[in-house]
Amino acid sequence: MMSGGYTSIDNQKVSGSVPAVSDPGHVTVKFADSSLQTFPPTGAQGKISGGAQPPRDADDTFSRPAGGSDEPQGSGWFRTFTVGAYKPYFDVDTSDVLDRLKESLFPFRGTFTEKTATNPDLYGPFWICTTLIFVAASIGTFVTYIAHKLKKKEWDYDINLVTWSAGVFYGYVTVVPLALYVVLKYFSAPSGLVQLFCLYGYSLFVFIPALCLSVVPLEIFRWVIAGVAGFMSATFVALNLRAHIKSAGERWFLIVASIFLLQLALAVVLKLYLFTVTV
């Protein structure tokens, strides 16, 4: 009887604590919302969202400027001697440089200064002058070597051709814009100095193919090539500065004519010293 009564009480406890189980074939499972439902997550970090950040415990002592600023410190003339002062003038890509080179080969458009007014560069002028020095030295050496061999004469390499070319091209593209900058400022028609460097640098690009064509051993052909290159370069500079220099008053024509003739004089000098072969 005791065991039977105990069994009855136990059955009552069990029946009171265990609920009825529904059909196991209809079980509904629900998941809480999470960022794994979409890819990438809305709060993506790193390279996917373009905001890669270092770990919070990373030490950025070497990457952070001493003053706590990302820009180089300094003002006035001291900033002129920092790399950061010239960084904006080299902020161009290949398409920009190619477009400006093409523009220099069409001198009658006169739109170069307008297209480069907001972003004049020094990258193109530097490499144009450097390429001219290399081409002038290599082509000049090759032409004189062939001329000496054809006449069966002894040939010696002339190192002065490199130094002379460097002095002419680097000097011209630096001194002439500086002088023009002072003149325009005197006549109350100031222009940006970097923009003048940019204009004169790209104006020399036409002499690169001209020097390559000077390998043809015909003196009259070399004169024609030098004349055409000089005329294109002079027209390119003069037409691009004409609209700006007109604000200088009645003397604007004299200034533009002087710019044009000075560029032609450069072509004559290059013809006499680089396009001429003497044996």
Side-chain angles (χ1 to χ4, degrees):
M1 296 296 293
M2 292 296 295
S3 61
Y6 181 79
T7 302
S8 175
I9 295 173
D10 186 71
N11 290 338
Q12 291 178 0
K13 291 182 179 181
V14 171
S15 61
S17 61
V18 179
V21 179
S22 60
D23 187 2
H26 301 279
V27 179
T28 302
V29 180
K30 294 184 178 181
F31 292 95
D33 293 338
S34 67
S35 60
L36 294 177
Q37 292 175 335
T38 58
F39 182 83
T42 56
Q45 301 292 333
K47 294 183 179 179
I48 295 177
S49 61
Q53 299 292 336
R56 293 184 177 180
D57 60 343
D59 186 6
D60 58 349
T61 305
F62 297 99
S63 60
R64 184 179 64 249
S69 174
D70 294 335
E71 298 295 330
Q73 300 296 321
S75 60
W77 285 102
F78 292 100
R79 190 173 185 276
T80 307
F81 301 99
T82 62
V83 177
Y86 303 94
K87 184 179 179 180
Y89 305 124
F90 291 85
D91 187 18
V92 290
D93 53 22
T94 304
S95 61
D96 294 331
V97 176
L98 290 178
D99 290 340
R100 297 176 184 188
L101 292 177
K102 293 177 183 177
E103 191 75 18
S104 68
L105 296 178
F106 297 93
F108 294 100
R109 293 178 179 177
T111 58
F112 182 85
T113 53
E114 297 179 3
K115 295 181 178 180
T116 61
T118 58
N119 187 27
D121 72 285
L122 299 178
Y123 179 88
F126 172 77
W127 283 110
I128 288 173
C129 292
T130 304
T131 304
L132 275 170
I133 296 170
F134 172 77
V135 172
S138 58
I139 295 295
T141 301
F142 174 75
V143 172
T144 54
Y145 174 79
I146 296 299
H148 280 76
K149 289 301 179 181
L150 290 177
K151 293 188 177 183
K152 298 181 179 180
K153 292 185 178 180
E154 185 179 357
W155 173 81
D156 294 324
Y157 177 71
D158 187 10
I159 190 61
N160 294 326
L161 189 61
V162 177
T163 56
W164 187 89
S165 300
V168 168
F169 293 120
Y170 283 142
Y172 184 85
V173 83
T174 302
V175 175
V176 174
L178 277 173
L180 182 60
Y181 173 79
V182 175
V183 171
L184 293 179
K185 196 169 185 178
Y186 175 79
F187 285 102
S188 301
S191 178
L193 181 59
V194 177
Q195 192 166 6
L196 292 177
F197 284 142
C198 180
L199 177 65
Y200 271 88
Y202 281 98
S203 71
L204 301 181
F205 174 72
V206 69
F207 290 104
I208 295 179
L211 284 171
C212 295
L213 292 175
S214 66
V215 297
V216 179
L218 293 176
E219 189 65 15
I220 185 63
F221 179 78
R222 290 170 178 168
W223 272 109
V224 171
I225 291 298
V228 171
F231 177 79
M232 292 178 62
S233 179
T235 305
F236 173 74
V237 175
L239 291 184
N240 278 282
L241 290 176
R242 181 184 61 178
H244 176 77
I245 297 178
K246 280 185 176 180
S247 60
E250 298 179 353
R251 298 181 181 181
W252 73 267
F253 181 79
L254 295 177
I255 300 176
V256 174
S258 300
I259 293 172
F260 184 86
L261 294 176
L262 185 61
Q263 203 78 359
L264 286 180
L266 173 65
V268 174
V269 172
L270 295 179
K271 167 61 184 73
L272 295 177
Y273 288 92
L274 295 179
F275 290 80
T276 302
V277 179
T278 56
V279 180

